[in-house]
Amino acid sequence: MNFECGVASKLMRRCDSQLPAQPVIMQHHLNKEPLMKPKLMSLSAIAALAIAASSICVIGTVRAQIDSGIGSNPHLHAQSAGAAGSPGTTVVKMSQKDVNFIQKAAGGGAQEVENGKMAEKQAKSAEVRSIAARIVADHTRLNKELTALANRKGVTFSTGGVKAQNLGTGDFDRLYLKWLEEVHRADIADFERAAKSADDKELKAWAAKALPTLKQHLAMAQGGAKKS
Protein backbone atom coordinates (compact mmCIF):
# COMPACT_ATOMS: atom_id res chain seq x y z
CA MET A 1 0.00 0.00 0.00
CA ASN A 2 2.81 2.46 0.85
CA PHE A 3 4.55 1.60 -2.43
CA GLU A 4 1.39 2.28 -4.47
CA CYS A 5 0.79 5.63 -2.73
CA GLY A 6 4.44 6.61 -3.27
CA VAL A 7 4.14 5.94 -7.00
CA ALA A 8 0.97 8.01 -7.18
CA SER A 9 2.61 10.89 -5.33
CA LYS A 10 5.58 10.92 -7.69
CA LEU A 11 3.34 10.92 -10.73
CA MET A 12 1.32 13.82 -9.32
CA ARG A 13 4.46 15.85 -8.69
CA ARG A 14 5.65 15.07 -12.21
CA CYS A 15 2.34 16.22 -13.59
CA ASP A 16 2.60 19.51 -11.69
CA SER A 17 6.13 20.08 -12.98
CA GLN A 18 4.94 19.65 -16.59
CA LEU A 19 2.30 22.36 -16.27
CA PRO A 20 3.61 25.82 -17.33
CA ALA A 21 3.53 28.61 -14.77
CA GLN A 22 2.02 30.99 -17.32
CA PRO A 23 0.27 30.46 -20.65
CA VAL A 24 2.61 30.24 -23.65
CA ILE A 25 1.88 32.88 -26.27
CA MET A 26 2.92 31.79 -29.72
CA GLN A 27 4.29 34.57 -31.95
CA HIS A 28 4.03 32.85 -35.26
CA HIS A 29 0.44 32.34 -36.35
CA LEU A 30 1.20 29.51 -38.73
CA ASN A 31 2.90 27.39 -36.08
CA LYS A 32 0.34 27.99 -33.30
CA GLU A 33 -1.89 24.96 -33.75
CA PRO A 34 0.83 22.36 -34.40
CA LEU A 35 2.76 23.48 -31.35
CA MET A 36 -0.18 23.71 -28.95
CA LYS A 37 -1.72 20.34 -29.92
CA PRO A 38 1.25 18.14 -28.92
CA LYS A 39 1.55 20.11 -25.68
CA LEU A 40 -2.11 19.55 -24.82
CA MET A 41 -1.85 15.81 -25.63
CA SER A 42 1.15 15.41 -23.38
CA LEU A 43 -0.59 17.11 -20.48
CA SER A 44 -3.68 14.96 -20.96
CA ALA A 45 -1.65 11.74 -20.88
CA ILE A 46 0.16 12.82 -17.73
CA ALA A 47 -3.13 13.76 -16.07
CA ALA A 48 -4.60 10.35 -16.95
CA LEU A 49 -1.58 8.59 -15.44
CA ALA A 50 -1.89 10.65 -12.30
CA ILE A 51 -5.58 9.78 -11.93
CA ALA A 52 -4.86 6.07 -12.44
CA ALA A 53 -2.09 6.14 -9.86
CA SER A 54 -4.39 7.87 -7.39
CA SER A 55 -6.99 5.17 -7.93
CA ILE A 56 -4.38 2.48 -7.26
CA CYS A 57 -3.45 4.22 -4.03
CA VAL A 58 -7.10 4.40 -2.90
CA ILE A 59 -7.71 0.72 -3.75
CA GLY A 60 -4.60 -0.29 -1.82
CA THR A 61 -5.77 1.69 1.19
CA VAL A 62 -9.22 0.08 1.16
CA ARG A 63 -7.71 -3.39 0.79
CA ALA A 64 -5.42 -2.81 3.74
CA GLN A 65 -8.35 -1.64 5.86
CA ILE A 66 -10.35 -4.76 5.01
CA ASP A 67 -7.42 -7.07 5.75
CA SER A 68 -6.67 -5.39 9.06
CA GLY A 69 -10.34 -5.56 9.98
CA ILE A 70 -10.43 -9.32 9.46
CA GLY A 71 -7.21 -9.80 11.35
CA SER A 72 -8.42 -7.86 14.37
CA ASN A 73 -11.89 -9.43 14.40
CA PRO A 74 -11.79 -13.06 15.59
CA HIS A 75 -15.28 -13.74 14.26
CA LEU A 76 -14.42 -12.67 10.74
CA HIS A 77 -11.11 -14.49 10.83
CA ALA A 78 -12.80 -17.70 11.98
CA GLN A 79 -15.37 -17.47 9.21
CA SER A 80 -12.66 -17.02 6.62
CA ALA A 81 -10.66 -19.99 7.90
CA GLY A 82 -13.76 -22.16 8.07
CA ALA A 83 -14.76 -21.41 4.52
CA ALA A 84 -11.27 -22.25 3.26
CA GLY A 85 -11.07 -25.54 5.17
CA SER A 86 -14.62 -26.76 4.61
CA PRO A 87 -13.88 -29.11 1.66
CA GLY A 88 -12.45 -32.49 2.67
CA THR A 89 -13.31 -35.80 4.25
CA THR A 90 -15.44 -36.10 7.35
CA VAL A 91 -13.62 -37.43 10.39
CA VAL A 92 -15.59 -40.05 12.33
CA LYS A 93 -15.08 -39.71 16.07
CA MET A 94 -16.00 -42.69 18.24
CA SER A 95 -16.94 -42.48 21.89
CA GLN A 96 -14.32 -43.48 24.43
CA LYS A 97 -16.53 -46.38 25.48
CA ASP A 98 -16.47 -47.81 21.95
CA VAL A 99 -12.73 -47.23 21.61
CA ASN A 100 -12.11 -49.08 24.88
CA PHE A 101 -14.17 -52.03 23.68
CA ILE A 102 -12.31 -52.20 20.37
CA GLN A 103 -8.92 -52.15 22.06
CA LYS A 104 -9.91 -54.76 24.62
CA ALA A 105 -11.49 -57.04 22.02
CA ALA A 106 -8.46 -56.74 19.75
CA GLY A 107 -6.04 -57.56 22.57
CA GLY A 108 -8.14 -60.47 23.79
CA GLY A 109 -8.55 -61.86 20.29
CA ALA A 110 -4.82 -61.69 19.63
CA GLN A 111 -4.14 -63.47 22.93
CA GLU A 112 -6.55 -66.28 22.04
CA VAL A 113 -4.80 -66.73 18.68
CA GLU A 114 -1.35 -66.98 20.30
CA ASN A 115 -2.48 -69.34 23.06
CA GLY A 116 -4.34 -71.41 20.48
CA LYS A 117 -1.19 -71.80 18.39
CA MET A 118 0.63 -72.93 21.52
CA ALA A 119 -2.13 -75.45 22.30
CA GLU A 120 -1.97 -76.84 18.76
CA LYS A 121 1.65 -77.83 19.51
CA GLN A 122 1.52 -78.80 23.18
CA ALA A 123 -1.89 -80.38 23.72
CA LYS A 124 -1.88 -84.14 24.10
CA SER A 125 -5.51 -84.73 23.13
CA ALA A 126 -6.46 -84.57 19.46
CA GLU A 127 -9.77 -82.98 20.46
CA VAL A 128 -8.01 -80.18 22.33
CA ARG A 129 -5.72 -79.56 19.36
CA SER A 130 -8.80 -79.42 17.12
CA ILE A 131 -10.46 -76.92 19.46
CA ALA A 132 -7.30 -74.83 19.47
CA ALA A 133 -7.16 -74.83 15.66
CA ARG A 134 -10.79 -73.63 15.51
CA ILE A 135 -10.02 -70.87 18.03
CA VAL A 136 -7.04 -69.68 15.95
CA ALA A 137 -9.03 -69.62 12.69
CA ASP A 138 -12.10 -67.87 14.10
CA HIS A 139 -10.28 -65.23 16.11
CA THR A 140 -7.89 -64.49 13.23
CA ARG A 141 -10.94 -63.74 11.11
CA LEU A 142 -12.63 -61.67 13.81
CA ASN A 143 -9.45 -59.71 14.43
CA LYS A 144 -9.17 -58.83 10.73
CA GLU A 145 -12.78 -57.65 10.68
CA LEU A 146 -12.28 -55.57 13.80
CA THR A 147 -9.06 -54.05 12.47
CA ALA A 148 -10.78 -52.99 9.24
CA LEU A 149 -13.68 -51.48 11.19
CA ALA A 150 -11.32 -49.60 13.51
CA ASN A 151 -9.35 -48.21 10.58
CA ARG A 152 -12.52 -46.84 9.03
CA LYS A 153 -13.30 -45.07 12.30
CA GLY A 154 -9.80 -43.71 12.83
CA VAL A 155 -9.06 -45.95 15.84
CA THR A 156 -5.58 -47.48 16.01
CA PHE A 157 -4.16 -50.26 18.16
CA SER A 158 -1.22 -52.62 18.09
CA THR A 159 -1.24 -56.31 19.01
CA GLY A 160 2.24 -57.07 17.71
CA GLY A 161 3.63 -57.56 21.21
CA VAL A 162 1.09 -60.21 22.26
CA LYS A 163 2.76 -63.54 23.07
CA ALA A 164 1.49 -66.92 24.26
CA GLN A 165 0.90 -67.05 28.00
CA ASN A 166 2.27 -69.44 30.58
CA LEU A 167 -0.91 -71.21 31.69
CA GLY A 168 0.76 -72.84 34.69
CA THR A 169 2.08 -76.24 35.59
CA GLY A 170 0.18 -79.51 35.41
CA ASP A 171 -2.07 -81.01 32.76
CA PHE A 172 -1.76 -78.65 29.85
CA ASP A 173 -5.00 -79.75 28.20
CA ARG A 174 -7.04 -79.06 31.33
CA LEU A 175 -5.31 -75.75 31.97
CA TYR A 176 -5.90 -74.57 28.40
CA LEU A 177 -9.59 -75.55 28.36
CA LYS A 178 -10.14 -73.91 31.75
CA TRP A 179 -8.50 -70.71 30.56
CA LEU A 180 -10.51 -70.84 27.32
CA GLU A 181 -13.77 -71.14 29.26
CA GLU A 182 -12.93 -68.22 31.54
CA VAL A 183 -11.93 -65.81 28.79
CA HIS A 184 -14.96 -66.67 26.66
CA ARG A 185 -17.34 -66.05 29.53
CA ALA A 186 -15.81 -62.59 29.86
CA ASP A 187 -15.79 -62.08 26.08
CA ILE A 188 -19.46 -62.93 25.75
CA ALA A 189 -20.41 -60.49 28.50
CA ASP A 190 -18.42 -57.69 26.83
CA PHE A 191 -19.79 -58.43 23.35
CA GLU A 192 -23.39 -58.62 24.60
CA ARG A 193 -22.95 -55.22 26.23
CA ALA A 194 -21.50 -53.74 23.04
CA ALA A 195 -24.25 -55.31 20.91
CA LYS A 196 -26.84 -53.53 23.06
CA SER A 197 -25.27 -50.22 23.97
CA ALA A 198 -22.36 -49.40 21.65
CA ASP A 199 -22.68 -45.84 20.34
CA ASP A 200 -21.40 -46.72 16.87
CA LYS A 201 -23.97 -48.65 14.83
CA GLU A 202 -21.39 -50.53 12.80
CA LEU A 203 -19.53 -51.64 15.90
CA LYS A 204 -22.80 -52.69 17.52
CA ALA A 205 -23.66 -54.85 14.50
CA TRP A 206 -20.20 -56.43 14.42
CA ALA A 207 -20.37 -57.37 18.12
CA ALA A 208 -23.80 -58.94 17.62
CA LYS A 209 -22.57 -60.93 14.62
CA ALA A 210 -19.54 -62.25 16.55
CA LEU A 211 -21.56 -63.48 19.56
CA PRO A 212 -22.66 -66.86 18.11
CA THR A 213 -19.03 -67.75 17.35
CA LEU A 214 -17.94 -66.88 20.88
CA LYS A 215 -20.75 -68.96 22.36
CA GLN A 216 -19.70 -71.91 20.21
CA HIS A 217 -16.16 -71.55 21.55
CA LEU A 218 -17.46 -71.59 25.11
CA ALA A 219 -19.49 -74.72 24.45
CA MET A 220 -16.48 -76.42 22.87
CA ALA A 221 -14.27 -75.57 25.87
CA GLN A 222 -16.88 -76.85 28.34
CA GLY A 223 -17.43 -80.03 26.33
CA GLY A 224 -13.71 -80.73 26.07
CA ALA A 225 -13.22 -80.13 29.79
CA LYS A 226 -15.80 -82.80 30.64
CA LYS A 227 -14.05 -85.39 28.50
CA SER A 228 -10.53 -84.72 29.66
Side-chain angles (χ1 to χ4, degrees):
M1 181 190 71
N2 291 336
F3 173 77
E4 294 167 342
C5 292
V7 171
S9 178
K10 288 181 180 180
L11 288 173
M12 292 296 292
R13 286 199 298 270
R14 183 175 178 180
C15 180
D16 292 341
S17 65
Q18 294 293 330
L19 293 173
Q22 295 181 354
V24 178
I25 300 174
M26 306 304 297
Q27 297 297 328
H28 200 285
H29 178 71
L30 294 176
N31 295 332
K32 184 176 181 179
E33 284 188 1
L35 289 175
M36 288 295 292
K37 190 172 183 180
K39 190 68 173 180
L40 290 174
M41 289 177 63
S42 176
L43 292 177
S44 299
I46 294 174
L49 289 174
I51 293 171
S54 299
S55 300
I56 293 173
C57 180
V58 171
I59 292 171
T61 302
V62 172
R63 185 186 297 116
Q65 289 175 348
I66 293 174
D67 291 342
S68 62
I70 292 177
S72 60
N73 190 326
H75 180 64
L76 292 177
H77 188 270
Q79 285 182 335
S80 177
S86 55
T89 57
T90 302
V91 177
V92 178
K93 182 175 178 60
M94 301 189 77
S95 66
Q96 190 59 49
K97 176 181 69 176
D98 288 356
V99 172
N100 291 342
F101 170 74
I102 288 176
Q103 293 175 340
K104 183 178 180 181
Q111 189 66 72
E112 293 183 48
V113 169
E114 294 302 318
N115 284 7
K117 290 178 179 179
M118 176 179 64
E120 285 184 282
K121 296 177 181 179
Q122 297 185 19
K124 296 178 181 180
S125 168
E127 183 177 2
V128 174
R129 289 196 298 271
S130 177
I131 292 173
R134 171 74 183 277
I135 295 295
V136 170
D138 287 349
H139 279 281
T140 297
R141 173 179 54 82
L142 291 175
N143 289 350
K144 288 181 178 179
E145 294 174 357
L146 182 58
T147 299
L149 187 154
N151 288 338
R152 291 194 297 272
K153 306 296 181 177
V155 178
T156 60
F157 55 82
S158 175
T159 58
V162 177
K163 305 296 180 184
Q165 293 173 312
N166 182 359
L167 300 179
T169 58
D171 186 341
F172 178 85
D173 291 10
R174 286 180 177 273
L175 291 172
Y176 174 68
L177 292 173
K178 180 181 179 181
W179 172 84
L180 203 59
E181 181 178 352
E182 291 175 354
V183 296
H184 276 84
R185 287 185 184 278
D187 287 346
I188 290 170
D190 289 340
F191 275 67
E192 285 179 340
R193 190 179 304 110
K196 292 179 181 179
S197 62
D199 296 320
D200 185 87
K201 292 181 179 180
E202 190 176 359
L203 180 63
K204 182 184 292 187
W206 178 80
K209 186 181 72 171
L211 272 170
T213 300
L214 299 178
K215 291 179 179 179
Q216 289 176 5
H217 292 175
L218 177 60
M220 289 165 57
Q222 290 173 334
K226 291 179 181 179
K227 296 178 182 179
S228 59

